[in-house]
Amino acid sequence: MVTKIAEDGRSRLLVPKLKPTNSQALPKEATHTELALEGRWRVVVVNDPVNLMSYVVLVFKKVLGFDETTARRKMLEVHELGRSMVWSGLREKAEAYAFTLQQWHLHAILEPDETH
Amino acid sequence: MKRIEVKLALTVVAPLLDVVKELADSLRSRPAGPSGLPDVDLDFSVEWSRELVEGQRAEIDALLGLFGEDFFKEGVVAFDDQNAELILRACAAIRLRLRETLLKPMGDEALETGDIDLGKLTLAVRRAFMCYLFLATLQELIIQHLDETILGG
């Protein structure tokens, strides 16, 4: 089951699972997974030529709880710069936001946040 | 409950519904967009996609539900708090699928700027592009009149 953001903003049904990167070294693999899960992750929305500006603003307000000004600013970042980071934090919640944004058919991706 | 009714020109919209239905079928089995997940295991990725597709099915059902018997009698479609969000999303999904299929020859820049000479398009591409615009119009109508309903829902 995939994590979802409920109407109250809390995540539900989460099963974050990272793909192991080294099948021969179990302890190292476990350490990698633990660090990845504990690290910070960014939810980035990537521009597409399809979705309307007004639609993207609505989705940002609905899913991320942005006010009108923030939603418009983030939408313009996506439009003009090609992408915008809309949230960062723990992976499980980042996955939940990315999933919900994808349910709204925005091109949302997850990236490790290496600034922390 | 806020509700808006829109009278559509049957002769214009009816031919576009074939395009909608054709693409709707593909959205019942595959997500409209890429997954965007780094390094997740296969099970998780499959489950992610499965749940997206499940949502898309409900969206498509809501959109196609607009164009039933009543529509072909009166040419009227109605949006309310029960269907607005689903239809909004269905329109986005179909527009994305149009981009990657029937409208691919037009290119992204033309789609984004709308700088298109309709006379140079083939009949099939022109019909797909009209469908693309029609779905955007439905989205604009819903956002303009029912955004508070969606945000409050």
Side-chain angles (χ1 to χ4, degrees), chain B residues 15-54:
Chain B
L16 306 181
L17 296 181
D18 291 337
V19 179
V20 170
K21 285 174 186 164
E22 180 187 333
L23 293 164
D25 285 343
S26 77
L27 289 165
R28 292 184 190 279
S29 59
R30 190 163 61 87
S35 87
L37 287 174
D39 292 341
V40 292
D41 68 28
L42 183 62
D43 289 346
F44 186 66
S45 180
V46 167
E47 184 67 4
W48 181 284
S49 294
R50 191 192 65 75
E51 292 211 14
L52 286 175
V53 168
E54 196 176 295

Side-chain angles (χ1 to χ4, degrees), chain A residues 3 5 8 12 18 26 38 44 55 58 64 69-70 75-78 81 83 86 89 91 98-99 104 107-108 116:
Chain A
T3 311
I5 295 290
D8 60 6
R12 299 272 191 276
L18 287 175
L26 289 175
E38 286 177 356
V44 175
Y55 177 79
L58 177 76
L64 299 156
T69 306
T70 307
M75 176 278 293
L76 287 171
E77 271 182 24
V78 174
L81 305 177
R83 52 190 273 135
V86 294
R91 170 139 184 163
F99 182 80
W104 282 87
H107 186 178
H116 290 82

Side-chain angles (χ1 to χ4, degrees), chain B residues 76-123:
Chain B
V76 173
V77 293
F79 307 107
D80 56 28
D81 60 349
Q82 299 296 309
N83 67 7
E85 186 174 316
L86 289 170
I87 290 169
L88 200 53
R89 283 154 56 156
C91 291
I94 293 175
R95 280 164 51 84
L96 284 166
R97 191 52 50 86
L98 275 166
R99 171 207 182 191
E100 71 174 36
T101 56
L102 301 171
L103 297 180
K104 197 165 187 177
M106 289 176 61
D108 282 352
E109 193 177 335
L111 278 185
E112 190 154 25
T113 60
D115 187 14
I116 288 156
D117 183 352
L118 286 176
K120 289 185 177 171
L121 302 179
T122 64
L123 189 59

Side-chain angles (χ1 to χ4, degrees), chain A residues 6-115:
Chain A
E7 296 302 331
D8 60 6
R10 286 180 295 187
S11 55
R12 299 272 191 276
L13 308 172
L14 73 109
V15 185
K17 287 187 273 184
L18 287 175
K19 186 179 177 181
T21 54
N22 183 346
S23 61
Q24 293 180 326
L26 289 175
K28 191 176 175 184
E29 179 184 310
T31 303
H32 169 82
T33 301
E34 186 178 326
L35 287 173
L37 286 169
E38 286 177 356
R40 292 178 69 84
W41 289 77
R42 295 189 292 209
V43 180
V44 175
V45 173
V46 179
N47 189 40
D48 69 65
V50 173
N51 282 311
L52 303 171
M53 289 181 174
S54 55
Y55 177 79
V56 176
V57 169
L58 177 76
V59 174
F60 282 175
K61 286 158 71 177
K62 171 83 178 175
V63 175
L64 299 156
F66 290 166
D67 59 28
E68 178 75 23
T69 306
T70 307
R72 286 197 66 79
R73 181 169 55 80
K74 287 291 186 183
M75 176 278 293
L76 287 171
E77 271 182 24
V78 174
H79 182 65
E80 291 167 4
L81 305 177
R83 52 190 273 135
S84 176
M85 183 190 78
V86 294
W87 193 84
S88 80
L90 293 178
R91 170 139 184 163
E92 65 188 47
K93 197 157 185 183
E95 281 177 355
Y97 277 121
F99 182 80
T100 309
L101 289 165
Q102 288 186 16
Q103 281 187 310
W104 282 87
H105 308 300
L106 296 195
H107 186 178
I109 61 173
L110 284 185
E111 291 179 349
D113 187 349
E114 287 157 358
T115 59

Side-chain angles (χ1 to χ4, degrees), chain B residues 5-11 13 66-78:
Chain B
E5 291 189 353
V6 184
K7 175 101 172 152
L8 301 171
L10 264 174
T11 51
V13 173
L66 284 180
F67 304 104
E69 199 174 318
D70 288 348
F71 167 73
F72 284 100
K73 276 185 197 160
E74 310 287 339
V76 173
V77 293

